[in-house]
């Protein structure tokens, strides 16, 4: 009956029907049914963007899961997570960051719960998005991996989108592990969005600048259809270019900045900023000659023959000193 009412086109009728049902359940003290019905009503209010009414209902639901001290009752940990998951959906729809993060942290603190994997998948996905916004790429990668596993277990279509987010976070964290090589992910290789991001990963791993830029610049790219991914394209391009520079300059003791500008299809200012960052992070040993617009690199003297030559030179100096001392004596 409730399912049929939920699909009714008359929103006002649906809400009134649910509210009367809740009143009856409260009178009969059917607490479990009241909770499940309240969560259904919360979903309807969320879909209708009735945020004020939804906030009141969620506050009531949250109190029903807590004791008088405001601590979650152990037996109601699962229900508390379900309520917080709706809170997360509401805050995400409203675009309010602080309560969104605070609610996620509350979810992380709940240990006595066994919710549906779809709910846990969404909570982990929210965590990944929070850490992405904070540029904590490795933490975001971990959250997205857990979200993908949960969605996959639940059979949710969200798994394909979250798999893209997982790959994005993996590239941004410069992880050496390709998440697409896992058995769970391999079965989705032929999905159009995944095919596009596989091509991007191959360009990233091979430091193929032309292929990487072609994929990101294509209007037809399935990757750029996702607003969340588009938000981090600039970060991804920066990470890729820094890795590409490391590979390009490796054989040289000096290289013109103009050469890097041409290879990376970037501006002089962009390349100089990347070089400064690499030098400060000690990923490159060298300096920038501004006058000649050249990167000067220091080579590590780790060649065995160089050490042997220095050792022979030191031995000869020592022998010369001993001989001189003997003559003077």
């Amino acid at each position: 009956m409730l399912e049929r009412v939920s699909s009714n086109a008359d929103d006002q009728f649906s809400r009134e029907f649910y509210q009367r049902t809740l009143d009856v359940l409260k009178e009969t003290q059917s607490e479990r049914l009241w909770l499940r019905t309240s969560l259904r009503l919360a979903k309807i209010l969320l879909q209708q963007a009735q945020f004020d009414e939804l906030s009141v209902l969620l506050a009531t639901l949250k109190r029903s899961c807590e004791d008088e001290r405001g601590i979650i009752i152990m037996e109601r940990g699962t229900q508390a997570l379900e309520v917080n998951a709706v809170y997360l959906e509401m805050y995400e729809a409203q675009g309010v960051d602080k309560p969104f993060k605070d609610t996620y942290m509350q979810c992380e603190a709940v240990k006595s719960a066994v919710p549906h994997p779809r709910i846990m998948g969404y909570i982990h996905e929210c965590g990944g998005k929070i850490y992405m916004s904070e540029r904590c790429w490795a933490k975001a990668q971990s959250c997205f991996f857990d979200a993908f596993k949960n969605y996959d277990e639940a059979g949710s279509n969200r798994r394909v989108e979250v798999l893209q987010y997982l790959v994005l976070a993996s590239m941004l964290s410069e992880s050496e592990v390709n998440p697409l090589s896992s058995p769970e992910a391999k079965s989705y290789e032929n999905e159009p969005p995944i095919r596009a991001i596989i091509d991007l990963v191959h360009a990233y791993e091979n430091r193929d600048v032309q292929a990487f830029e072609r994929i990101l610049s294509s209007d037809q790219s399935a990757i750029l259809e996702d607003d969340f991914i588009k938000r981090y394209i600039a970060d991804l391009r920066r990470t890729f270019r820094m890795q590409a520079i490391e590979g390009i300059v490796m054989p040289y003791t000096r290289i013109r900045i103009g050469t890097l500008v041409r290879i990376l299809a970037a501006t002089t200012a962009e390349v100089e900023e990347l070089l400064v960052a690499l030098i400060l992070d000690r990923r490159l040993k060298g300096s920038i000659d501004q006058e000649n617009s050249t990167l000067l690199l220091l080579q590590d003297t780790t060649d065995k023959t160089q050490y042997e030559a220095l050792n022979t030179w030191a031995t000869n100096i020592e022998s010369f000193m001993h001989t001189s001392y003997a003559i003077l004596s």
Side-chain angles (χ1 to χ4, degrees):
M1 176 69 76
L2 291 174
E3 288 289 348
R4 293 183 65 181
V5 171
S6 298
S7 60
N8 193 296
D10 189 339
D11 296 340
Q12 184 63 33
F13 172 78
S14 298
R15 296 206 300 274
E16 287 181 6
F17 186 91
Y18 266 91
Q19 193 56 62
R20 291 192 180 188
T21 304
L22 288 172
D23 292 340
V24 172
L25 290 174
K26 205 165 189 178
E27 289 175 6
T28 57
Q29 296 185 341
S30 302
E31 193 168 344
R32 182 177 176 79
L33 278 173
W34 175 84
L35 181 63
R36 304 313 305 174
T37 306
S38 294
L39 285 169
R40 283 176 179 271
L41 176 57
K43 287 289 186 180
I44 291 174
L45 294 173
L46 181 65
Q47 290 169 2
Q48 298 172 1
Q50 298 291 330
F51 297 130
D52 291 339
E53 195 174 339
L54 177 58
S55 297
V56 173
L57 176 59
L58 289 177
T60 302
L61 284 169
K62 190 172 183 179
R63 284 195 298 272
S64 72
C65 299
E66 299 172 344
D67 60 21
E68 60 276 4
R69 297 170 296 169
I71 298 173
I72 294 173
I73 300 168
M74 186 173 294
E75 295 80 10
R76 297 184 185 175
T78 299
Q79 289 87 348
L81 275 184
E82 291 179 0
V83 173
N84 276 341
V86 182
Y87 263 120
L88 286 170
E89 288 187 80
M90 181 179 73
Y91 292 140
E92 186 174 25
Q94 291 176 310
V96 285
D97 295 335
K98 189 178 186 308
F100 185 66
K101 181 178 180 179
D102 291 344
T103 304
Y104 168 72
M105 298 309 293
Q106 290 173 22
C107 291
E108 285 289 277
V110 177
K111 304 301 179 186
S112 57
V114 189
H116 192 280
R118 179 183 54 77
I119 292 172
M120 281 311 302
Y122 177 66
I123 291 171
H124 287 309
E125 180 186 348
C126 291
K129 289 179 176 178
I130 288 167
Y131 288 126
M132 287 287 282
S133 69
E134 296 175 348
R135 273 44 184 183
C136 299
W137 312 125
K139 287 184 177 181
Q141 181 185 357
S142 177
C143 285
F144 285 139
F145 181 66
D146 289 336
F148 170 71
K149 288 194 300 181
N150 286 137
Y151 280 140
D152 194 39
E153 182 184 349
S156 170
N157 292 333
R158 288 290 304 159
R159 58 193 167 193
V160 174
E161 284 186 46
V162 168
L163 183 55
Q164 292 183 84
Y165 302 163
L166 170 59
V167 175
L168 173 65
S170 176
M171 287 190 286
L172 286 168
S173 67
E174 301 184 67
S175 171
E176 295 181 0
V177 179
N178 183 353
L180 292 171
S181 63
S182 68
E184 301 95 336
K186 275 189 172 297
S187 57
Y188 302 104
E189 285 183 346
N190 294 323
E191 294 281 345
I194 302 303
R195 273 267 35 112
I197 208 158
I198 285 174
D199 292 339
L200 187 65
V201 169
H202 287 163
Y204 177 89
E205 291 178 339
N206 297 327
R207 295 178 177 175
D208 186 337
V209 176
Q210 290 185 343
F212 188 86
E213 289 296 335
R214 185 176 63 252
I215 294 167
L216 290 186
S217 301
S218 172
D219 292 335
Q220 305 302 318
S221 175
I223 298 170
L224 299 180
E225 292 176 1
D226 190 298
D227 290 336
F228 179 76
I229 293 178
K230 283 170 68 175
R231 202 179 306 167
Y232 297 99
I233 290 299
D235 294 289
L236 182 60
R237 182 176 274 116
R238 174 185 167 84
T239 301
F240 172 77
R241 283 175 171 175
M242 290 177 80
Q243 286 199 358
I245 287 172
E246 288 180 292
I248 293 167
V249 305
M250 191 178 294
Y252 302 103
T253 57
R254 63 176 58 213
I255 185 170
R256 289 193 174 278
I257 291 175
T259 302
L260 296 175
V261 168
R262 190 185 73 258
I263 294 172
L264 297 175
T267 66
T268 301
E270 286 173 336
V271 170
E272 287 181 350
E273 189 271 330
L274 292 172
L275 291 174
V276 169
L278 286 166
I279 292 169
L280 291 177
D281 289 344
R282 300 190 177 183
R283 291 169 61 172
L284 286 182
K285 294 181 180 179
S287 60
I288 299 174
D289 180 351
Q290 289 280 5
E291 185 177 347
N292 296 304
S293 191
T294 302
L295 173 67
L296 307 176
L297 293 151
L298 302 174
Q299 297 294 329
D300 291 327
T301 55
T302 56
D303 193 335
K304 184 179 178 181
T305 57
Q306 289 177 314
Y307 283 121
E308 289 175 349
L310 285 171
N311 187 52
T312 301
W313 178 75
T315 302
N316 291 339
I317 291 291
E318 185 179 7
S319 175
F320 174 75
M321 290 178 65
H322 283 303
T323 302
S324 300
Y325 180 76
I327 293 172
L328 292 172
S329 300

